[in-house]
Amino acid sequence: MSRIGKKAITVPKGVTITIHDRELEVKGAKGALRTPIPEGISFRQDGDQLIAERASDELAAQHGLARALANNAIVGVTEGFTKQLDVVGVGYKADIQGKKIVFALGYSHPIEFPLPEGVDAKAERLPAKASIQQYQTTLTLTGIDKQKLGQVAAEMHRLRKPDAYKGKGVRYADVQLKLKPGKTGK
């Protein structure tokens, strides 16, 4: 039984939804997104409500998935999504040059990371993060497609994962790291 799938989605004003056979097209102020509809799941629009229905109880997982994907598309075209990454470490930096980000992460060469279409980035130094040792920059990624935004953030995080002792690397801003204690001599 999918509790998420049973919840109706409220469609805000200014959002138009077109229901095709295997696809849901959502248009809003920030852009347009297409979301696939799994086999056996159907959508119907009832006024300002979008309702997901399933053919049988065996499709409970796909029911919740389809509803969540549709909701993410609606939120994306109205509000958008953001992810923040912190660059931490002495000499580490991230510079935005047009549609690419150039990272200096302690390797012998700079790393150029091209931003895909639909994802924008902003680099800034936040004073609230001064408590983090060796803090350098915060990258704020914005976009309307939640999946693409999360994938780009994961690829940037993978460039230099935070080490276990000092936390140096590219880390998610909302994830608290538990650092290992260093060696202590007697």
Side-chain angles (χ1 to χ4, degrees):
M1 174 197 294
S2 174
R3 293 182 182 167
I4 298 293
K6 289 182 177 180
K7 293 172 80 178
I9 303 168
T10 304
V11 180
K13 292 193 185 318
V15 175
T16 59
I17 296 175
T18 309
I19 302 169
H20 301 292
D21 287 341
R22 302 276 36 105
E23 192 174 64
L24 201 66
E25 187 177 351
V26 182
K27 293 181 183 173
K30 291 189 177 260
L33 288 173
R34 292 177 176 268
T35 302
I37 300 173
E39 193 73 32
I41 305 296
S42 61
F43 281 93
R44 68 178 167 85
Q45 196 164 2
D46 186 22
D48 67 339
Q49 301 282 315
L50 184 67
I51 301 163
E53 298 170 333
R54 62 179 181 232
S56 69
D57 285 342
E58 296 171 359
L59 300 170
Q62 285 84 8
H63 189 207
L65 171 74
R67 190 255 180 218
L69 291 175
N71 188 50
N72 286 343
I74 291 171
V75 171
V77 298
T78 54
E79 302 168 22
F81 295 101
T82 61
K83 281 262 191 203
Q84 287 190 327
L85 297 166
D86 290 336
V87 179
V88 178
V90 174
Y92 289 13
K93 64 180 181 176
D95 294 324
I96 298 175
Q97 298 174 355
K99 284 298 281 180
K100 68 180 178 181
I101 300 175
V102 179
F103 289 97
L105 297 174
Y107 298 116
S108 62
H109 59 285
I111 300 168
E112 291 185 0
F113 188 92
L115 286 173
E117 195 65 36
V119 176
D120 296 320
K122 184 172 71 171
E124 57 191 349
R125 187 170 174 88
L126 299 176
K129 304 267 183 166
S131 63
I132 299 174
Q133 255 187 334
Q134 301 176 355
Y135 166 77
Q136 300 299 324
T137 310
T138 296
L139 286 171
T140 304
L141 304 172
T142 57
I144 62 171
D145 190 348
K146 187 174 186 177
Q147 190 277 329
K148 185 187 286 186
L149 188 68
Q151 183 66 38
V152 169
E155 289 171 4
M156 285 183 189
H157 174 70
R158 205 173 305 134
L159 293 175
R160 175 71 92 171
K161 288 187 178 178
D163 75 331
Y165 294 97
K166 291 186 179 179
K168 293 170 37 174
V170 180
R171 50 165 125 162
Y172 293 108
D174 56 349
V175 175
Q176 182 70 33
L177 286 181
K178 185 175 180 189
L179 301 177
K180 291 182 179 180
K183 291 183 177 179
T184 56
K186 281 194 170 189

